Amino acid sequence: MTKDNLGRLLLTLASALAAAACSHSGAGGASPRALASGTFHNAAGERVGLATLSDSGGTLRLGVSVAELDPGPHGLHFHAQGSCTTPDFASAGAHFNPDHRRHGRLSAEGPHLGDLPNLVAGPDGSADTSFVVARDLAEPGPRSLLQPGGTALVIHARPDDERTDPSGASGDRVACAVLAPG
């Protein structure tokens, strides 16, 4: 994807988020409220996308718009540390797991609170989607992503098998965004 295409993708996401913030949802008329946002960077430190955590009438949504991925599914996880040091993003630490569970939404002893569905990049390597996430991720306390310093959202090279501890055999970390409150 060219830098012009990436710029258009980021502008599209920003416009969509602004429109959502200005519109009203059907149930109760609540406007979406941005709680945290961050910019994805790749291993070379280049900006490749955006992530936003928002609340709309009590439903918590994670919006992801990213480019320059290999086509296909990629593991996507909240990580414990609000740090994305290139090139390997090891500074993000382990998956966000305040309940000390095993990895995987399909594991009998899981999932980590930071486990998310796979992110699927299209043939052009881009993905623009949103996920409903656990409401308590934005509530005060140790299960909240809204801690001082934020949290990291990491995209991995391969799909998450949703079973293998600790990371679903999802491979290298290829993009990372620090989600900071505000």
Side-chain angles (χ1 to χ4, degrees):
M1 173 169 278
T2 68
K3 290 201 185 283
D4 286 341
N5 286 344
L6 175 59
R8 280 194 287 278
L9 177 67
L10 295 175
L11 182 59
T12 299
L13 177 63
S15 297
L17 292 172
C22 293
S23 68
H24 293 284
S25 68
S31 295
R33 181 172 54 102
L35 301 175
S37 61
T39 302
F40 280 108
H41 291 89
N42 63 17
E46 301 164 330
R47 189 174 80 174
V48 294
L50 298 171
T52 302
L53 190 65
S54 61
D55 179 356
S56 180
T59 300
L60 196 60
R61 291 196 163 276
L62 172 65
V64 175
S65 184
V66 66
E68 299 185 23
L69 298 173
D70 289 337
H74 296 266
L76 179 68
H77 309 108
F78 290 118
H79 283 248
Q81 304 301 317
S83 178
C84 290
T85 303
T86 58
D88 62 3
F89 308 117
S91 63
H95 291 183
F96 184 67
N97 188 19
D99 299 331
H100 309 288
R101 299 188 58 132
R102 293 186 56 83
H103 174 79
R105 296 180 320 133
L106 300 178
S107 169
E109 299 166 353
H112 295 152
L113 200 53
D115 291 346
L116 295 164
N118 282 311
L119 177 69
V120 180
D124 67 351
S126 69
D128 189 8
T129 191
S130 68
F131 303 96
V132 173
V133 296
R135 176 79 209 138
D136 56 351
L137 289 172
E139 299 295 328
R143 295 171 56 92
S144 178
L145 297 174
L146 306 177
Q147 302 290 339
T151 189
L153 181 60
V154 175
I155 301 172
H156 294 263
R158 295 190 307 263
D160 182 338
D161 68 13
E162 300 193 34
R163 284 190 177 91
T164 306
D165 201 51
S167 65
S170 54
D172 293 339
R173 300 168 182 196
V174 297
C176 185
V178 174
L179 289 177

